[in-house]
Amino acid sequence: MSLDQLLPDNAHDQALRDAVHPDDWQAPTPAPRYNLVVIGGGPAGLVAAFGAAGMGARVAIIERGLLGGDCLNTGCVPSKALLRVAHAAHAARDARRFGVDVPTVVPDFAAAMERLRELRAAIAPHDSAARLAAEGIDVFLGEARFTGPDTVAVGDTTLRFARCCIATGASPVLPRIPGIDTVAPLTNEGIFSLTAPPERLLIVGAGVIGCELAQAFARLGVPVSVVDMAPRVLAREHGAAAALVQEALEADGVDLHLGRGVAELAPTEDGATALTLDDGTVLQGSHLLVAAGRRPNLVPGLDRAGVGVGPKGVLVDSTLRTANPRIYAAGDVIGRDQLTHAADHQARLVVRNALFFGRGQVGALVVPRVVYTEPELAAVGLSPEEAAEDPSLRVFTVGVDETDRGRTDGDTAGFCAVVADGAGRIHGATIVGPQAGELLAPLTLAMTHGLGLGALASTIHPYPTRSELVFKVASAWNKTRLTPLAKRASTWLMGLRR
């Protein structure tokens, strides 16, 4: 997010700026040599800087934009704040089926966006320049560039390092659509600067960002159309789970155009955007949001530092080290698992491997992911489709409608599907339904630490809670242990004991 995307006369945006890119920041006198120089102040960079400094390392961090990165400024925090307001509006409209009559529901878009900015500013001190400095970290605000294998410059200042961590993240990419340079497309970096609702919002991309924001804006009363070349939303997720999200979007009034490409974009006479599909259909909207992928933010001078770059970003080995043994990379800039929590744990690996002779492998990380639509979709490891290719694996599925809490809450759409082998070891899980992200946590814990479905089946779960869904899946696996031979033996034994 660039500084000019902050609202100039907004008190909350000014508080955000004062915390994460203060105008009056005075760069410190650099140390002769740093144990670790971190380039990028997003989730990966902040975790690496705080972690190394906490272990006694001399650390510097360089950030050209806003500390906190996408997560704080244009990603996790603002999007979830907006989704919460959208959920409240939907819950009010839906209250009648529970015997509560809410006569009128009038979302206040401007108030929702102001709440978003207030929350973002309130969280900002956690990622602030002042907090970094208080931890003994030298903060340099500006553009970094490598000048050699162990040096990086910020303006006229050169920093020398024993180790470096590139954590510059990624930025939204604008696809090569004819006419895209004639309109003013928004991305996640600009959408949260709106102060008034769009008359109609066009979204290109039905991935995570596209689906989350489509539902949020639709529930806040904005007509929304979504276009994607894939035949369904969330094309990378389990088909049956994504289908439930798609049904929810359609129920919220989102106009979906799937399996179609964008042939052309053009401005209209009244300042709107005309989007022409490859079948000739023309959609018009006052605003256009492009959510069609991201590209890594590369540091100038990587060639001077001996760092390689591939199609997805900075090239690293399994320990997150680049071709230059002094330089590591973590987070979105390496082009894998582009998630805040993945960046966090990659940064922890960098600190251990770069400074403390660790050999941690990034491939050993078990990384869950969540789509925060309603219903939520959460997944980790293999999907049921991928499991079908391996005859040694089975998929155990239980519907939300099979749990008493699902019935009493009136939210029965969804399921939990767990991929496991004969010994009950978990190889993957997909959950779609209320609080799916929370329910995925015990399955991710089990995968990380080698606990099987047997351990979950033998754990007492409180009743009636949503966690019963996971317990029922584990119990379904447990029943497979009672083979016909085992049942005959048990029947024979019971006969002897009567």
Side-chain angles (χ1 to χ4, degrees), residues 116-193:
L116 176 161
R117 285 183 275 273
E118 180 181 7
L119 287 170
R120 187 169 60 182
I123 294 172
H126 183 74
D127 298 342
S128 67
R131 180 173 177 240
L132 286 159
E135 295 295 324
I137 299 166
D138 287 350
V139 180
F140 297 87
L141 300 180
E143 180 85 33
R145 67 185 188 282
F146 283 106
T147 55
D150 65 348
T151 56
V152 61
V154 191
D156 296 330
T157 302
T158 296
L159 310 181
R160 299 184 62 82
F161 57 81
R163 296 291 185 269
C164 177
C165 175
I166 301 172
T168 44
S171 298
V173 62
L174 295 179
R176 295 180 179 177
I177 300 172
I180 197 168
D181 56 343
T182 67
V183 296
L186 294 168
T187 67
N188 68 294
E189 292 186 346
I191 192 76
F192 300 114
S193 296

Side-chain angles (χ1 to χ4, degrees), residues 33-379:
R33 189 177 181 86
Y34 290 96
N35 295 108
L36 182 68
V37 169
V38 179
I39 306 176
L46 290 170
V47 169
F50 281 124
M55 297 299 291
R58 189 66 191 270
V59 179
I61 189 168
I62 305 169
E63 172 57 53
R64 68 179 181 182
L66 303 181
L67 290 163
D70 268 6
C71 183
L72 171 66
N73 299 294
T74 62
C76 312
V77 171
S79 65
K80 302 313 166 281
L82 192 64
L83 283 167
R84 181 62 186 89
V85 178
H87 171 75
H90 174 74
R93 295 189 189 99
D94 196 41
R96 182 169 295 177
R97 69 186 178 102
F98 297 100
V100 179
D101 187 9
V102 181
T104 58
V105 180
V106 183
D108 187 333
F109 185 86
M113 298 302 284
E114 187 67 0
R115 175 182 180 271
L116 176 161
R117 285 183 275 273
E118 180 181 7
L119 287 170
R120 187 169 60 182
I123 294 172
H126 183 74
D127 298 342
S128 67
R131 180 173 177 240
L132 286 159
E135 295 295 324
I137 299 166
D138 287 350
V139 180
F140 297 87
L141 300 180
E143 180 85 33
R145 67 185 188 282
F146 283 106
T147 55
D150 65 348
T151 56
V152 61
V154 191
D156 296 330
T157 302
T158 296
L159 310 181
R160 299 184 62 82
F161 57 81
R163 296 291 185 269
C164 177
C165 175
I166 301 172
T168 44
S171 298
V173 62
L174 295 179
R176 295 180 179 177
I177 300 172
I180 197 168
D181 56 343
T182 67
V183 296
L186 294 168
T187 67
N188 68 294
E189 292 186 346
I191 192 76
F192 300 114
S193 296
L194 295 177
T195 56
E199 294 180 12
R200 173 172 287 277
L201 178 63
L202 306 178
I203 300 178
V204 175
V208 176
I209 295 173
C211 286
E212 288 184 357
L213 292 183
Q215 187 173 62
F217 276 83
R219 288 182 168 186
L220 293 175
V222 176
V224 179
S225 295
V226 177
V227 178
D228 199 296
M229 294 183 66
R232 61 177 175 85
V233 306
L234 303 172
R236 297 181 181 180
E237 300 298 343
H238 176 38
L244 291 178
V245 174
Q246 184 166 322
E247 289 175 12
L249 292 174
E250 292 171 336
D252 285 324
V254 176
D255 177 34
L256 296 174
H257 298 266
L258 304 174
R260 304 177 190 178
V262 180
E264 185 181 15
L265 292 165
T268 64
E269 291 183 359
D270 59 358
T273 294
L275 184 155
T276 304
L277 299 174
D278 53 14
D279 64 357
T281 302
V282 178
L283 307 174
Q284 287 197 14
S286 60
H287 293 71
L288 170 68
L289 171 66
V290 176
R294 296 169 65 78
R295 61 185 172 201
N297 298 325
L298 300 178
V299 183
L302 287 174
D303 53 339
R304 296 182 181 180
V307 174
V309 178
K312 294 184 178 181
V314 172
L315 296 174
V316 295
D317 65 14
S318 60
T319 68
L320 297 176
R321 188 175 66 176
T322 70
N324 180 339
R326 294 180 180 274
I327 301 175
Y328 291 70
D332 290 3
V333 74
I334 66 173
R336 57 179 294 168
D337 297 323
Q338 295 193 356
L339 301 162
T340 293
H341 45 278
D344 178 308
H345 284 269
Q346 290 171 15
R348 295 171 193 271
L349 274 182
V350 166
V351 172
R352 290 198 296 270
N353 293 347
L355 303 181
F356 298 100
F357 310 104
R359 296 294 298 171
Q361 307 285 308
V362 68
L365 296 177
V366 178
V367 182
R369 59 192 183 276
V370 183
V371 184
Y372 294 96
T373 48
E374 191 175 6
E376 288 184 358
L377 193 163

